[in-house]
Amino acid sequence: MTRAQAHVLAVDFAACDGHGLCAELLPELVGLDEWGYPVLHRPTVPPDLLPHARRAVAACPLMALRLNRVPTPPPDRLSSRTTAAPRRVVSHGQPG
């Protein structure tokens, strides 16, 4: 069985020169700060924007914008995380 994967944008700020092409090609997910460097509004790329994200990554002149695939947990693991009771913190120190 193949596990579903999400696509996540990342910026290598050491490589980025602030050309702004990523924000121009993908304004739904990328904005620019006051110096012209990218700010990711939301790193996870929705499926309908995936072709646009790929185009923005390919167009980056310094290859500073990346599109990474990350595995998504199975649905049964998601539900157990949200319904689990919070953990209690136990201190063994002396009362102050």
Side-chain angles (χ1 to χ4, degrees):
M1 177 174 13
T2 304
R3 187 185 266 192
Q5 293 188 337
H7 290 80
V8 178
L9 284 174
V11 179
D12 179 355
F13 288 102
C16 182
D17 272 353
H19 291 271
L21 192 55
C22 54
E24 189 175 318
L25 293 173
L26 195 58
E28 300 88 349
L29 300 178
V30 183
L32 298 177
D33 68 10
E34 58 190 273
W35 298 283
Y37 287 90
V39 175
L40 299 178
H41 301 303
R42 180 176 48 161
T44 303
V45 180
D48 61 321
L49 292 178
L50 191 54
H52 300 288
R54 287 187 173 130
R55 188 173 71 144
V57 168
C60 180
L62 296 172
M63 295 187 290
L65 185 65
R66 303 213 174 108
L67 187 61
N68 301 314
R69 285 187 279 183
V70 294
T72 55
D76 58 52
R77 301 223 31 215
L78 284 175
S79 62
S80 67
R81 285 185 186 169
T82 57
T83 59
R87 292 184 178 193
R88 214 175 82 183
V89 177
V90 178
S91 174
H92 295 287
Q94 296 179 352

